[in-house]
Amino acid sequence: MVTDAYLVVDTCVWILAGEVLLPPGLVVRIDQTAEQIYVDRTKDQIEAAPEFRRDAHLGTADHRDALGTHYLSGMPFGVQRA
């Protein structure tokens, strides 16, 4: 059973932030040819998320919890629990 999952997405063309951490449950479509991921959130929602820095936040439970709260209204990050 997977209890923790996330995607690191390069957004440097779309958002100047560079990379964002996203729950995989937000992905609605992947275009492999164009190398694009489509998600069920707006650009404004993604820009308003807590800042992500790979060296400081990757693997940090507190950061994933904050992102889970931001994107999923308090649901555990990336996981829907029964």
Side-chain angles (χ1 to χ4, degrees):
M1 174 184 200
V2 175
T3 59
D4 191 22
Y6 49 88
L7 300 171
V8 177
V9 179
D10 181 357
T11 62
C12 63
V13 174
W14 189 53
I15 299 174
L16 295 177
E19 292 182 328
V20 296
L21 195 64
L22 296 174
L26 298 183
V27 175
V28 294
R29 183 168 68 96
I30 298 173
D31 184 333
Q32 291 181 330
T33 303
E35 297 182 351
Q36 294 180 341
I37 296 173
Y38 297 85
V39 296
D40 183 24
R41 292 298 182 269
T42 66
K43 181 178 178 181
D44 289 340
Q45 288 172 311
I46 292 172
E47 285 180 329
E51 177 186 19
F52 172 68
R53 289 187 327 275
R54 184 185 294 252
D55 60 334
H57 299 127
L58 195 61
T60 304
D62 289 343
H63 188 70
R64 289 191 310 272
D65 291 345
L67 286 169
T69 299
H70 175 76
Y71 286 121
L72 304 171
S73 301
M75 203 169 38
F77 193 81
V79 179
Q80 289 187 356
R81 303 219 191 263

